[in-house]
Amino acid sequence: LRLPASPPPGWPRFRSRLHSPAVTARVGRILGIFFGICFVTGVLSHYQYQPWRWLPEPASPVWGYRLTQGLHVITGTACIPLLLVKLWSVYPKLWEWPPARSVLHAIERLSIAVLVASALTEVAIGFINVLDWYPWHFGFVFVHRMLAYVVIGSLLVHIAVKMPLIREGLATPLTPPTTSSEPAADATTGLSRRGLLYATAAGVVVLAATTAGQTLTPLRRLAILAPRRPEDGPLGIPINKTATEAGVLRSANAAEWRLTVIGPVPFELDLAELEGLPTSEHELPIACVEGWSASGRWRGPALLDLVRRAGGSPHARVQVASLEQGGAYRTSVVDGPQLSDALLATHLNGQRIPLDHGYPVRLIAPDRAGVLNTKWLTRIEIL
């Protein structure tokens, strides 16, 4: 099959000077940096859920996960306008004629299709996750992570293939010389290439500011995209799952509640015995995968004290379990530095923790994903 040398009648022709390698390369450079930050912080977030046995998660700085997950969500959200502008700047490439000049060119275009599809899906489901809305039936964490590898892999291939064009685009001035016949602004809109980049930067700043307030307290009032705010939750800390949603209203308030500690020397504590133990108090943040975070003063017995009483040591791996019967995070494992600093929190900001925060007792540990600070504890087991 031999295609005609010229495109068929009615084939789109683009005259805007904004569809320029100079624009594409500059937007693409920032987008690549943001994708890189997103990928690295995403890998660190995943490590919270599946750490290597020989490399336990650190406990300091206590705000480590708050920082990395905040960066992950902020840069991921800022990628949305960058990605849309970059795709718009290369949109005429979809209408190149002939569509494929060779087999290699066809493979290259196919790889770009994979990159575009995976990148759009990744930022879309990531943003929907930030809004705490899950309209799909797949596991978000797994799919989001797998797509990240696809995006980064295809992006690296794309950069390698397009490097000569990228260098040429970055070397091309945004404003053509006065001797050039090329107009500095688009004949239809009057918007210059520099103006387009300024508008894109403004969009990025606005989105980042309305997201960063989830993590940065001074920007809290601007966080209109934040799904959770401190004032929304009891005692100044937001919640993702209530006691009613977890189905623990009756069991958490039951007089027969016991905290069972399983180890070489097992024992049980009722509520009065638990509240009679020596306590410690730490200022620790709760940081959630959706990007929001808030700090509080948590007080309660040290988890390590109960582990030692049960015959364990600071080098033990400890699993805590919730009264909640279902859910992917009804149990979590604590070891290494986090075990040494973890509390069995009974109080928050000077008051007994309410049901929605994990009454009668919950885990709280530094530099740890919020969902892994298990609530409504009923069992502690030395593995």
Side-chain angles (χ1 to χ4, degrees):
L1 176 64
R2 180 172 295 179
L3 294 173
S6 58
W11 197 256
R13 289 173 172 80
F14 300 90
R15 288 181 285 181
S16 173
R17 303 299 181 180
L18 301 182
H19 297 294
S20 161
V23 172
T24 303
R26 285 167 172 81
V27 175
R29 177 169 57 182
I30 303 302
L31 181 61
I33 292 171
F34 278 28
F35 268 158
I37 294 172
C38 241
F39 180 74
V40 171
T41 53
V43 169
L44 292 174
S45 178
H46 172 66
Y47 190 73
Q48 288 273 341
Y49 296 85
Q50 295 184 9
W52 298 323
R53 291 285 299 272
W54 56 271
L55 185 61
E57 300 164 78
S60 61
V62 297
W63 40 261
Y65 185 77
R66 184 180 194 177
L67 172 65
T68 57
Q69 191 60 20
L71 272 176
H72 182 74
V73 171
I74 292 168
T75 53
T77 304
C79 282
I80 296 173
L82 288 169
L83 181 57
L84 293 178
V85 171
K86 185 178 187 300
L87 292 177
W88 179 85
S89 71
V90 297
Y91 172 66
K93 296 288 186 182
L94 285 175
W95 304 95
E96 280 185 341
W97 192 268
R101 297 186 296 272
S102 65
V103 174
L104 286 178
H105 186 226
I107 294 174
E108 178 194 338
R109 300 202 76 179
L110 180 61
S111 70
I112 293 174
V114 171
L115 171 59
V116 172
S118 59
L120 286 173
T121 305
E122 183 78 339
V123 298
I125 66 173
F127 185 70
I128 292 173
N129 171 73
V130 168
L131 298 179
D132 203 28
W133 177 42
Y134 302 95
W136 46 71
H137 298 287
F138 56 79
F140 167 77
V141 173
F142 176 78
V143 172
H144 196 60
R145 178 166 62 96
M146 292 296 103
L147 268 179
Y149 293 126
V150 175
V151 171
I152 289 299
S154 53
L155 178 61
L156 292 175
V157 171
H158 181 66
I159 291 173
V161 171
K162 296 293 187 181
M163 184 56 70
L165 289 177
I166 294 172
R167 288 175 176 168
E168 180 183 342
L170 292 175
T172 302
L174 287 172
T175 304
T178 54
T179 56
S180 172
S181 60
E182 182 182 356
D186 179 76
T188 304
T189 65
L191 183 66
S192 67
R193 293 170 181 169
R194 196 176 300 276
L196 175 63
L197 293 183
Y198 286 154
T200 303
V204 169
V205 170
V206 168
L207 272 181
T210 55
T211 303
Q214 299 183 108
T215 303
L216 301 175
T217 304
L219 297 178
R220 188 79 71 187
R221 292 184 178 180
L222 300 178
I224 60 175
L225 294 180
R228 297 287 186 272
R229 300 167 182 267
E231 58 269 23
D232 294 337
L235 304 183
I237 301 291
I239 55 171
N240 264 7
K241 180 181 281 190
T242 66
T244 300
E245 291 169 333
V248 299
L249 277 176
R250 179 173 296 181
S251 56
N253 278 309
E256 62 270 17
W257 174 88
R258 296 291 185 274
L259 179 63
T260 303
V261 184
I262 301 173
V265 187
F267 62 93
E268 283 189 351
L269 297 171
D270 62 22
L271 188 57
E273 291 170 329
L274 174 69
E275 293 177 334
L277 295 174
T279 63
S280 301
E281 184 172 87
H282 299 300
E283 180 87 15
L284 295 173
I286 285 281
C288 194
V289 70
E290 286 93 356
W292 66 261
S293 57
S295 290
R297 289 181 294 107
W298 302 88
R299 176 159 56 91
L303 174 59
L304 185 56
D305 287 350
L306 273 68
V307 170
R308 283 174 167 150
R309 178 174 167 181
S313 74
H315 305 293
R317 296 183 75 245
V318 177
Q319 183 183 73
V320 298
S322 171
L323 289 168
E324 186 179 6
Q325 295 303 305
Y329 303 109
R330 66 173 300 271
T331 65
S332 64
V333 173
V334 193
D335 62 356
Q338 289 192 354
L339 174 60
S340 299
D341 294 335
L343 294 180
L344 298 174
T346 56
H347 290 73
L348 169 60
N349 293 331
Q351 298 185 45
R352 193 68 170 87
I353 59 172
L355 272 169
D356 287 343
H357 274 313
Y359 177 90
V361 63
R362 71 170 296 166
L363 173 71
I364 184 73
D367 191 24
R368 189 172 176 88
V371 73
L372 300 180
N373 285 307
T374 310
K375 298 193 285 187
W376 311 294
L377 293 184
T378 186
R379 190 180 79 247
I380 298 170
E381 181 178 359
I382 301 172
L383 300 179

